[in-house]
Amino acid sequence: MKIPVVDLFAGPGGLSEGFSAHRGQMAFDVKLSIEKDAFARETLKLRKFFRNFPDGKAPDSYYDYISGNGVTKEQLYKDYREEERDAHKSAWKAELGKRPIKDIWQRISDTIDEAEHWILLGGPPCQAYSVIGRSRMRSMEGFAKDKRHTLYREYLKIVAAFQPTVFVMENVKGILSSRHRDQQIFHKILNDMSNPWEALSKWDRDRIPDHVEPHRYRIYSFSTEVMWEEQLAPSDFIIEAENYNIPQRRHRVILLGIRDDYDIVPPTLQETGARVTVTDVISDLPAIRSEISRGGEIDTANWRAVIKKGLRSGFLGQIKDLDLRKRIRKAVDDISDEIDKGGDFIKGSYLPRSLKKWYHDPRLKGIAQHQARGHMPTDLHRYLFSTVFAEKHGSSPKIDEFPEKLWPNHANAVPGEDGKVADFRDRFRVQVWDEPSTTITSHMRKDGHYFIHPDPTQCRSLSVREAARLQTFPDNYFFEGPRTEQYKQVGNAVPPYLAYKLSDIVAEVLEQCIDRDMGRSSKANIRSVS
């Protein structure tokens, strides 16, 4: 049985990918993804096109396109017009809250087409709820006026108008402490999503078709087992992704809403024990080096010369740990003459240590979007120091642990009375080999300082593909747009493998819903006969 799915605020499709990958008696068909960003929408369309073919049956030209092997996107779509038309219709560029509500409702109505059961997914934009976002907006005196606090209401309107059997709603952990006009946001969201009809304005209710029967929803956590939502503390809704085979410490609030005409208590995610690490998912990828930003094209020998020049700048002499100095010199000596800057596609067979079946597609015959960005020479020296420090100590250094000659020229990077930096201490962060990564965010599009590759001989930040691996996107998932936009898409996504695990729980809930429908039908038939 295929259950229709609608994905709001879809980004590049992390939630959609996880649900689409579910197999078994219950399958999910993501029939509509709504996203305002043009590049993310193109990524959604391409992925829907890929999913329009049975497993393993995507055309060779799809792989030729993502590997840059002489096939353009226009040619790919032209050769498979039916699949392209469906993908074009499914991936809709529209901004909720600005697009007329009647357009949104008409598109969703056409999509679900009176389906008895369907699923609503989505994560309203979260920047206003993040700790950093709130800090910045307070300084601009714009936090209380920011409409992103209430974008969840666009999601709420669709729940009220169309009454999905189940909804899944995702947001950042900062939403738990966020307040808007002296009201705690999360408490209001729980109340509104539990009773969406009553939460609507009269203006919105008057536009909902008369035949809609208003329902309430029971809100559950995916990670904490309880009988009733009143027993849940706000923190019980947090999913710590690293506990569920995701190679990333990503903590998100995810709600599971079940319509109240189905009195069903869902199962919960089961923690997996051993954690998947950075080593497990990116160590197989080819070593690459960065460019020198604003320095033009250089070869590996000149790139290494730039790094060696840093050793003569005096920062080594400021390091009191003689073993650390020795390790830094050795790392520079170990830089391979064969290393290059990577590329849009690198041929070869690349198989991670963990989640092989999830990531690997043998038809790909290489790895896409694995190219290093450019860095300033001073940042290369900081990356060199940071990675060697992390190798020795197992953690990334704080700014005040850097040699002072490597401190960035920034107003916040100045020593206090104790000689340590008060702010800006985490400006440079190495992703440690034997741990899950830190949270992959869209900040990657600006610079890579929070996402330094752990190998000292590469002196760079993560590539788009490495970030995508840490987010658990399959290797055949292709991100459209310039590289900065690719980083943005990867950082804004829900990890698909986590969504896949959520889909197992939703499938079990729906199976129980359908069983109860059949039971009700049987009872009605018995009453009719008697």
Side-chain angles (χ1 to χ4, degrees):
M1 175 181 292
K2 278 202 168 185
I3 300 295
V5 176
V6 173
D7 189 5
L8 308 181
F9 309 103
L15 276 171
S16 295
E17 179 68 11
F19 273 74
S20 297
H22 188 272
R23 298 293 180 267
Q25 292 184 339
M26 183 73 62
F28 297 103
D29 182 9
V30 180
K31 296 181 73 68
L32 178 64
S33 298
I34 302 179
E35 169 56 40
K36 71 174 185 177
D37 181 85
F39 294 113
R41 186 263 171 184
E42 287 301 309
T43 297
L44 288 167
K45 177 180 175 180
L46 181 65
R47 194 60 181 179
K48 177 61 173 176
F49 174 84
F50 176 82
R51 288 199 298 258
N52 279 341
F53 299 91
D55 289 350
K57 301 297 184 182
D60 290 339
S61 51
Y62 171 80
Y63 295 94
D64 288 335
Y65 168 63
I66 67 174
S67 65
N69 190 25
V71 173
T72 65
K73 184 165 58 176
E74 290 72 23
Q75 182 180 346
L76 173 65
Y77 287 159
K78 182 179 178 181
D79 290 343
Y80 296 91
R81 292 187 182 278
E82 183 178 344
E83 290 82 1
E84 186 275 336
R85 279 193 293 267
D86 179 75
H88 181 84
K89 181 180 178 182
S90 172
W92 188 32
K93 183 180 179 298
E95 184 170 359
L96 295 168
K98 290 189 176 180
R99 189 90 180 196
I101 192 68
K102 62 182 180 63
D103 293 351
I104 304 290
W105 286 357
Q106 185 62 57
R107 181 65 72 98
I108 292 175
S109 179
D110 293 343
T111 297
I112 61 177
D113 193 26
E114 300 183 0
E116 188 170 358
H117 296 286
W118 69 283
I119 308 300
L120 183 67
L121 307 177
C126 59
Q127 295 94 326
Y129 302 131
S130 70
V131 175
I132 293 175
R134 299 206 303 270
S135 174
R136 288 173 178 167
M137 281 185 285
R138 284 194 188 100
S139 66
M140 296 185 294
E141 299 183 354
F143 183 63
K145 299 177 182 178
D146 192 350
K147 293 182 179 180
R148 289 175 295 180
H149 279 296
T150 53
L151 270 178
Y152 82 90
R153 293 189 62 81
E154 301 304 318
Y155 189 101
L156 174 80
K157 291 173 187 176
I158 292 168
V159 173
F162 294 98
Q163 307 281 295
T165 313
V166 172
F167 70 77
V168 177
M169 182 178 174
E170 180 264 353
N171 220 295
V172 293
K173 188 169 67 171
I175 197 174
L176 300 180
S177 57
S178 182
R179 302 181 71 85
H180 185 232
R181 302 189 188 280
D182 295 324
Q183 185 174 25
Q184 192 170 18
I185 286 289
F186 187 65
H187 180 71
K188 179 168 177 55
I189 287 175
L190 281 182
N191 286 341
D192 287 353
M193 299 307 297
S194 296
N195 194 354
W197 184 268
E198 290 301 319
L200 291 185
S201 67
K202 183 177 184 302
W203 188 92
D204 287 323
R205 282 202 299 268
D206 287 347
R207 280 152 183 78
I208 293 176
D210 294 337
H211 66 270
V212 172
E213 180 184 355
H215 282 281
R216 294 175 64 94
Y217 283 79
R218 296 187 176 95
I219 312 297
Y220 292 96
S221 164
F222 279 101
S223 56
T224 305
E225 185 175 0
V226 292
M227 291 301 295
W228 303 107
E229 61 266 31
E230 286 77 15
Q231 295 176 274
L232 288 169
S235 60
D236 290 330
F237 290 96
I238 297 173
I239 294 179
E240 297 182 353
E242 68 270 24
N243 295 330
Y244 306 101
N245 285 135
I246 310 304
Q248 178 188 172
R249 291 191 292 274
R250 192 180 193 92
H251 299 173
R252 290 294 187 264
V253 171
I254 304 184
L255 310 182
L256 171 62
I258 304 175
R259 208 171 61 208
D260 69 349
D261 52 333
Y262 294 99
D263 185 9
I264 292 169
V265 178
T268 55
L269 292 169
Q270 298 301 306
E271 295 189 6
T272 54
R275 293 183 174 183
V276 180
T277 68
V278 171
T279 296
D280 292 330
V281 299
I282 72 167
S283 62
D284 64 296
L285 297 177
I288 57 176
R289 63 167 175 83
S290 68
E291 288 283 1
I292 303 297
S293 58
R294 297 187 294 275
E297 286 277 340
I298 62 170
D299 59 19
T300 298
N302 285 322
W303 176 80
R304 185 165 55 181
V306 169
I307 296 173
K308 284 187 173 182
K309 185 177 179 181
L311 301 184
R312 300 192 296 272
S313 69
F315 82 81
L316 272 181
Q318 295 181 330
I319 300 173
K320 296 179 181 180
D321 184 336
L322 296 181
D323 179 59
L324 187 58
R325 284 196 216 175
K326 181 180 178 181
R327 287 170 179 251
I328 290 172
R329 290 187 182 279
K330 184 178 185 304
V332 176
D333 290 339
D334 288 345
I335 294 175
S336 169
D337 292 331
E338 304 301 321
I339 195 170
D340 64 24
K341 62 184 180 180
D344 293 330
F345 189 80
I346 303 173
K347 292 181 179 180
S349 179
Y350 304 105
L351 198 63
R353 297 184 185 181
S354 296
L355 306 178
K356 294 180 179 66
K357 291 183 178 178
W358 180 261
Y359 288 113
H360 187 60
D361 182 346
R363 296 182 63 195
L364 188 57
K365 295 181 174 57
I367 201 75
Q369 300 178 311
H370 184 50
Q371 185 173 16
R373 72 204 311 167
H375 299 300
M376 296 188 302
T378 51
D379 284 336
L380 293 181
H381 306 148
R382 294 178 183 115
Y383 292 3
L384 172 65
F385 171 81
S386 299
T387 50
V388 175
F389 184 101
E391 278 196 337
K392 178 173 181 177
H393 296 286
S395 61
S396 188
K398 306 298 184 185
I399 281 291
D400 45 52
E401 294 175 297
F402 279 62
E404 198 162 335
K405 281 185 177 291
L406 293 184
W407 284 17
N409 183 19
H410 193 283
N412 290 333
V414 293
E417 292 181 1
D418 60 357
K420 293 187 175 182
V421 177
D423 299 315
F424 217 61
R425 295 191 75 216
D426 286 323
R427 184 70 179 101
F428 297 89
R429 185 180 299 155
V430 179
Q431 302 305 316
V432 179
W433 280 122
D434 295 328
E435 296 287 340
S437 75
T438 56
T439 306
I440 302 299
T441 70
S442 62
H443 181 85
M444 294 188 74
R445 74 187 188 275
K446 297 182 178 179
D447 63 57
H449 299 335
Y450 291 97
F451 306 98
I452 301 171
H453 191 281
D455 181 0
T457 68
Q458 299 185 48
C459 286
R460 63 176 177 85
S461 59
L462 299 177
S463 70
V464 170
R465 183 52 52 190
E466 288 164 336
R469 280 272 188 97
L470 294 169
Q471 278 279 56
T472 67
F473 280 96
D475 287 347
N476 59 20
Y477 209 106
F478 189 81
F479 300 92
E480 296 283 9
R483 188 165 56 196
T484 53
E485 295 297 326
Q486 295 165 13
Y487 278 121
K488 177 183 174 182
Q489 291 173 56
V490 173
N492 279 337
V494 173
Y497 192 64
L498 178 61
Y500 173 69
K501 288 175 174 282
L502 302 183
S503 75
D504 282 341
I505 290 173
V506 172
E508 190 166 333
V509 168
L510 283 171
E511 286 169 3
Q512 293 185 54
C513 291
I514 292 167
D515 286 345
R516 296 194 183 191
D517 288 345
M518 294 174 65
R520 291 169 184 168
S521 177
S522 298
K523 289 179 181 179
N525 288 337
I526 291 171
R527 286 195 297 270
S528 176
V529 170
S530 60

